[in-house]
Amino acid sequence: RIGSATSQSSAVINDRLQELVKLFKERTEKVKEKLTDPDVTSDDETPVPSPSKQAPAEAQPPPPGQEPEAAEAAEDEHYCEMLCCMFKYRPWLDRVKNYQFPSSIDPLTNLMYVLWLFFVVLAWNWNCWLIPVRWAFPYQTPGNIHYWLLMDYLCDLIYLLDIVIFQIRLQFVRGGDIISDKKAMKENYLKSQRFKMDVMCLLPLDFFYFKVGVNPLLRFPRCLKYMAFFEFNNRLEAILSKAYIYRVIRTTAYLLYSLHVNSCLYYWASAYEGLGSTTWVYDGEGNSYIRCYYWAVKTLITIGGLPDPKTLFEIVFQLLNYFTGVFAFSVMIGQMRDVVGAATAGQTYYRSCMDSTIKYMNFYKIPRAVQNRVKTWYEYTWHSQGMLDESELLVQLPDKMRLDIAIDVNYSIVSKVALFQGCDRQMIFDMLKRLRSVVYLPNDYVCKKGEIGREMYIIQAGQVQVLGGADGKTVLVTLKAGSVFGEISLLAAGGGNRRTANVVAHGFANLFILDKKDLNEILVHYPESQKLLRRKAKKMLRNNNKPKDDKGGPGDSIIIPPRPSTPKLFQAALAAAGKVGGKGRLAHLRWKLKELKAMQA
């Protein structure tokens, strides 16, 4: 038993030593790779030590002389399990108590501010929609007046909090700088037009309730907080992916609100003339709001079928309604047309391009099979990307923003290309802006065998197949998204290397292409990276073990062109001089040639 225990411990020690040796080897390889390629991110950084895992209070024995319940209460801790570790966290009530309101708020990017504007707009809509109703219709009675007043003063509280908490903390731009100083933000708000309108909104006209009663018209200044409504529209459209849907809803709400106000005015006119006094006014039967709203719809949309007004007041009121209805309805229709037109602008452009292409192909009598492939390319490109050319979307952006977008989209793929690892990072950034996206249809040839390669391909989506063999149809390998091919041809001399196999798109494939011309224009400014790329290309060619002919066949990828061979006539003259056995200049040249050949070998 003692011998078996000793053998077991030695085996454990040996296993541990082997693991340590393996770890040291891996670390050495990573350090070597880091030295040869500074751009490779290192995983050897010392991790931040996590807090030691402590047992819960229940598992720890209480100290002597202390009750278990008291020990549990004293050692009560909160834990959050995540993966294999446990982290302390405070209860939600403590987090709420210790929460500190931000000293400054960015109105363009802060989602909390957008949420607050939503509540402000709700309070504003309450006043805009219900003040006319309470003024015209008999819905505000002494029995429910306390409910109306409760909602009114709740909206006033939201208005007040918006002034004293949020508006004085909004950042602003002055001279190109973002100002976040408390005093400067407060002074900027107090000097703005927004502050004046906010103060007018909260005019304390409610004190006149004690003299004239609870008249809803005294709360009409609350509707002047329209600037918060327009600001909320701008912020919400900026964060929505389909903002045109909200624009359609908002335009529809404009139309409904105009009908709402007209229905309130019609009931007030009917009450002024006397309910049921003439055939034109409201007769007092049924739901008063629904009946008046129906009349307002028929009037503003000018449907017709309305009773003729009898008195002068009714005639003037009806004429004003007709004029307002024609104007308001035409404005709403025009605005709705603009909203729908802006929402479908891309689709309209796509249809116009496709129709023009089909017209061109029919004029020149292009074969039907080619036309079908062109149509398929248009449809797939539009449905997969939402646009026909990505460069048109980014052309209006500054160069720095285009670079940021290109880094987010393409850098993770390009940084994995072995040929570009170790190069100047700025050179890679310049290269990202030169990449162009191309969509290939199923069975389209990306490149053919024997072609001179002048591009590098990066697969963004889809798959491509490399074909070879005697018949040229055998699938050698299938490359998926993230793969790169054709990178050596970017640095090949002699007009570019020839492709050694056919590459065909297997299904729809979206590829990024980098031209050799674009890379050469970039490498002019990065000579060190150019030398490194040529060394790597030579090394990759040696690793690929490509057959090389002494005469430099046309299918070879030549990094450095070979020395031209000695002319035949000159070789014959040297041979004749050798036969004679002279020791003149020809013999000396022959000896030099032999020396050069030996050095070349």
Side-chain angles (χ1 to χ4, degrees):
R1 291 180 180 176
I2 296 175
S4 63
T6 305
S7 62
Q8 289 178 0
S9 61
S10 62
V12 171
I13 293 174
N14 289 332
D15 294 340
R16 182 58 181 167
L17 289 176
Q18 291 178 2
E19 291 179 2
L20 290 175
V21 170
K22 185 177 179 181
L23 291 175
F24 279 123
K25 285 183 178 180
E26 292 179 355
R27 185 177 181 85
T28 304
E29 292 295 332
K30 290 180 179 179
V31 172
K32 186 186 297 182
E33 184 180 1
K34 182 68 177 178
L35 291 175
T36 57
D37 190 359
D39 287 345
V40 177
T41 56
S42 176
D43 299 331
D44 306 332
E45 299 176 358
T46 304
V48 179
S50 59
S52 59
K53 180 179 178 181
Q54 300 179 2
E58 292 81 359
Q60 298 178 357
Q66 187 176 1
E67 294 297 328
E69 294 79 10
E72 291 179 2
E75 299 293 333
D76 186 18
E77 300 286 350
H78 300 271
Y79 291 87
C80 175
E81 295 190 12
M82 191 169 85
L83 298 180
C84 60
C85 304
M86 298 180 67
F87 302 95
K88 286 185 180 181
Y89 75 96
R90 294 179 178 179
W92 66 270
L93 187 58
D94 292 343
R95 292 202 301 270
V96 171
K97 290 180 179 178
N98 297 329
Y99 175 76
Q100 294 182 355
F101 199 80
S103 59
S104 64
I105 300 174
D106 185 2
L108 300 179
T109 59
N110 196 315
L111 295 181
M112 181 189 66
Y113 180 64
V114 178
L115 181 61
W116 171 252
L117 285 178
F118 172 74
F119 291 106
V120 175
V121 171
L122 279 182
W124 179 75
N125 276 279
W126 167 271
N127 292 314
C128 290
W129 285 78
L130 293 179
I131 286 177
V133 172
R134 295 160 60 186
W135 166 71
F137 292 91
Y139 291 152
Q140 178 177 301
T141 60
N144 59 13
I145 188 65
H146 53 283
Y147 295 111
W148 292 106
L149 294 178
L150 176 64
M151 290 301 302
D152 288 344
Y153 294 131
L154 179 61
C155 295
D156 293 349
L157 177 62
I158 294 176
Y159 281 14
L160 185 62
L161 292 178
D162 182 57
I163 295 175
V164 300
I165 295 180
F166 285 89
Q167 295 300 322
I168 62 174
R169 286 180 168 86
L170 292 184
Q171 300 174 3
F172 65 98
V173 178
R174 182 171 59 192
D177 297 331
I178 300 177
I179 306 301
S180 57
D181 181 68
K182 289 184 178 180
K183 184 178 180 181
M185 290 187 296
K186 185 176 181 180
E187 291 178 353
N188 179 71
Y189 173 63
L190 295 179
K191 295 179 181 178
S192 64
Q193 183 71 20
R194 178 76 172 268
F195 173 71
K196 299 176 183 178
M197 298 300 297
D198 290 345
V199 171
M200 290 181 63
C201 291
L202 291 177
L203 286 178
L205 301 180
D206 299 12
F207 289 107
F208 289 98
Y209 287 172
F210 298 104
K211 187 174 183 180
V212 298
V214 182
N215 189 350
L217 287 181
L218 294 175
R219 294 189 54 83
F220 181 76
R222 305 297 189 270
C223 300
L224 297 178
K225 203 174 179 63
Y226 60 89
M227 299 179 72
F229 172 70
F230 290 114
E231 184 183 5
F232 174 72
N233 292 334
N234 296 333
R235 301 291 175 262
L236 187 61
E237 290 179 6
I239 63 176
L240 290 178
S241 58
K242 295 182 178 180
Y244 65 89
I245 297 178
Y246 174 72
R247 296 190 189 107
V248 171
I249 296 174
R250 185 182 61 200
T251 306
T252 305
Y254 289 159
L255 178 61
L256 296 178
Y257 183 74
S258 61
L259 297 173
H260 168 78
V261 174
N262 195 31
S263 64
C264 295
L265 292 175
Y266 174 66
Y267 186 87
W268 169 80
S270 300
Y272 177 78
E273 288 285 303
L275 297 179
S277 59
T278 63
T279 57
W280 181 83
V281 299
Y282 170 59
D283 56 5
E285 298 180 359
N287 189 298
S288 57
Y289 180 78
I290 298 299
R291 297 286 296 275
C292 293
Y293 201 90
Y294 174 74
W295 181 91
V297 170
K298 294 180 68 176
T299 303
L300 287 184
I301 304 182
T302 62
I303 296 177
L306 296 172
D308 296 330
K310 303 299 182 182
T311 64
L312 179 62
F313 175 80
E314 295 175 358
I315 293 174
V316 173
F317 188 89
Q318 188 72 356
L319 287 175
L320 292 176
N321 260 292
Y322 280 139
F323 291 146
T324 307
V326 171
F327 175 75
F329 194 69
S330 61
V331 170
M332 296 300 172
I333 292 297
Q335 189 171 2
M336 188 68 73
R337 182 202 60 189
D338 294 340
V339 170
V340 175
T344 60
Q347 186 77 15
T348 304
Y349 173 73
Y350 156 69
R351 287 296 176 188
S352 63
C353 291
M354 191 171 182
D355 294 342
S356 301
T357 306
I358 294 174
K359 183 179 179 180
Y360 173 83
M361 292 188 296
N362 290 334
F363 179 78
Y364 286 99
K365 298 180 181 179
I366 304 297
R368 184 62 58 183
V370 178
Q371 293 191 23
N372 291 336
R373 293 184 66 81
V374 171
K375 294 177 184 177
T376 303
W377 180 88
Y378 267 105
E379 292 178 0
Y380 176 77
T381 304
W382 173 257
H383 290 297
S384 61
Q385 299 179 173
M387 63 193 73
L388 298 178
D389 189 2
E390 295 180 352
S391 60
E392 294 181 358
L393 181 66
L394 305 177
V395 69
Q396 298 178 353
L397 296 178
D399 188 70
K400 181 62 173 63
M401 291 186 180
R402 289 204 302 268
L403 176 60
D404 293 341
I405 295 176
I407 290 174
D408 292 336
V409 176
N410 305 327
Y411 184 75
S412 60
I413 300 177
V414 177
S415 61
K416 298 177 183 177
V417 181
L419 185 63
F420 298 126
Q421 291 181 357
C423 295
D424 194 327
R425 189 179 298 271
Q426 187 60 41
M427 188 214 75
I428 298 180
F429 290 165
D430 293 343
M431 190 177 61
L432 292 177
K433 295 185 291 184
R434 302 295 185 97
L435 294 178
R436 54 188 178 90
S437 178
V438 178
V439 175
Y440 288 90
L441 302 183
N443 301 322
D444 272 355
Y445 278 90
V446 180
C447 58
K448 292 186 178 181
K449 183 178 180 180
E451 288 182 345
I452 295 178
R454 298 185 181 88
E455 303 92 7
M456 180 191 74
Y457 300 92
I458 304 174
I459 304 177
Q460 182 190 18
Q463 299 178 0
V464 298
Q465 293 179 340
V466 181
L467 306 181
D471 56 352
K473 297 182 179 179
T474 304
V475 179
L476 302 180
V477 66
T478 300
L479 303 177
K480 299 182 179 181
S483 302
V484 181
F485 60 95
E487 65 271 23
I488 301 179
S489 64
L490 294 180
L491 299 171
N497 69 312
R498 297 186 180 273
R499 307 293 188 186
T500 58
N502 296 327
V503 180
V504 181
H506 182 64
F508 292 96
N510 195 341
L511 307 181
F512 285 122
I513 297 179
L514 176 64
D515 290 333
K516 182 177 181 180
K517 178 182 177 182
D518 295 336
L519 182 62
N520 290 337
E521 293 177 356
I522 296 173
L523 290 179
V524 171
H525 307 286
Y526 304 96
E528 297 298 329
S529 298
Q530 185 177 13
K531 295 177 183 179
L532 178 62
L533 288 177
R534 292 192 180 277
R535 288 198 300 268
K536 285 193 173 186
K538 290 172 60 177
K539 184 178 179 181
M540 294 175 70
L541 283 176
R542 287 197 301 268
N543 294 338
N544 290 339
N545 294 323
K546 292 187 177 181
K548 298 182 180 180
D549 194 1
D550 292 339
K551 297 182 180 180
D556 296 332
S557 297
I558 304 170
I559 301 299
I560 301 177
R563 184 187 301 276
S565 59
T566 307
K568 293 183 179 180
L569 182 61
F570 190 57
Q571 287 182 357
L574 291 177
K579 289 179 181 179
V580 174
K583 297 183 179 179
R585 287 188 176 182
L586 293 177
H588 182 68
L589 288 174
R590 184 189 176 196
W591 176 75
K592 283 287 186 183
L593 180 62
K594 284 184 179 181
E595 234 182 11
L596 289 173
K597 284 186 177 181
M599 290 174 63
Q600 242 182 338

